[in-house]
Amino acid sequence: MTKSMRKSKRKTALLTASGVVLGLTLPVATTAAATGHSGTLTWGACQGTGLDPRQQCATVDVPMDYSDPGGARIGIAVSRIPAEKPSVRRGALLMIAGGPGGGSLDEVSGKGQRLPQAVRDAYDLVGFDPRGVGRSSPVSCGLDRDDLALTRFWPWPAADGSVDANMATARRTAAACDRNGGDLVRHISTADNARDIDRVRAALGERKLSAWGVSYGAYAGAVYNELFPHRTDRLVLDSNPDATGARSGGQFARGAWAAFESGVEDAFPEFAKWASQEGNPYRLADSADDVRSLFLRLAARLDREPVPWPGANPPELNGNVLRQAMVYALYEPDEFAGLARLIRAAGKGEVPPAPEPVPEPLLQNGIAVAVATFCNDGNWPTETAVYQAEVARSRAAYPLTAGMPRNATACAAWPTQAKHTPVRITDRGPSTVLLVQNERDPATPLAGARAVRAALGQRAVMVTVDATGHDAYLGNGNACGDRAVTRYLVTGHRPAGDKYCR
């Protein structure tokens, strides 16, 4: 889940990952009357408000099921803003959003306009909604309102560590997706997304494609690079989940959740240090250790004695809601003050005004795509005992996340087997990758990025920045890291070796 998604009123963060799990965007663009051509696309005006007037939109026709290319088709919504200096144009830079469940259709008008001028001069900025998202044949599982609560989607165990309620939620969610998601929900996976990206490349008329993938988008970019290694030009992978699946026997999806254990432990000390500084109007305690103890005690108390929270979903501030707020705040240090205010209020038995509800279609769409991607990317255990044992170990070793990263999602009850073997990231192929990574990232921790770096070998160089939060390039990074990425995109030159930016 990316930072820009959390800030926009039209966007909401569900999770990350990753982010990885889950960044959600509802694009507001579609095709209209023809205004020009590039490759095989017919470009037209985009629908929506607040868009750059230069943004154009089109649709790429792709197979719903790549094993049946003559079967049903779906449309992938694509946008672009042409390179601002045609004389130095290099090609297309595809923006691959986080999630799964996020789209970049409108990011060419937003986040893309924060790119340095030299990048905007050299590239057509291209965005797209992945299959099932927003304007690209959107899917929904038709979940009941209670199951749209983010503390249901994020699999927080019960206060006593039991996973029985999580397994029940998993069964309800999987059954609803099977019943209401249609055929497409069975054909949403990272491998499918990578193949769609190559169809977009061909439709753009580009021999090779440059890309900037963030969080889950970095994983999708890594898979694209593996499946189509000679179709990548300059590939920036930002805020990297462990694409090797080292935490979960080679399975990316389970590892993406498990990463929150160490990621939160990496980032929380920065909040604790900030919240114990003298002169800070939001100071919570005299030392960082005291802040940690305060948070853990408060979460445990709210487990036992939740505070009613009318209008919220769930309608109470319990321990897991507080933990969820903590994880979100660690994505961006600008959110530390909000977390401190919530901790203070909860300590007094009070609550702030209920958060503004997210439009239900956004939640339904984002959760459906996230669930389908994780479940179709690999098979998960189905036995309650497996999750109960892993949650117990996680709660003991990582109390801040209380077992959530090892718990059951809807994939524990998914009705179909994965159609694709997880794509293995290797060191075979051209050297076209620059990884950029914050040192303290709660969703995609540094250890995962290092695993990707090791797997890529000489195909990649990695820039690590001394920063806390999610999103590195032009996000929570720093000038040194930003310069390295911009230089690569504009000139093709990467650092001579892995680089650390203090």
Side-chain angles (χ1 to χ4, degrees), residues 54-69:
R54 299 170 298 170
Q55 181 175 318
Q56 304 166 311
C57 292
T59 299
V60 178
D61 189 53
V62 304
M64 181 171 67
D65 180 356
Y66 277 95
S67 68
D68 182 20

Side-chain angles (χ1 to χ4, degrees), residues 19 44 58 62 68 72 144 187 196 244 256 299 343 381 393 399 412 433-434 498-499 502:
V62 304
D68 182 20
D144 292 339
H187 299 284
D196 290 345
T244 70
I343 290 171
R393 287 192 292 268
V433 180
L434 178 65
D498 291 350
K499 181 180 179 67
R502 190 170 298 280

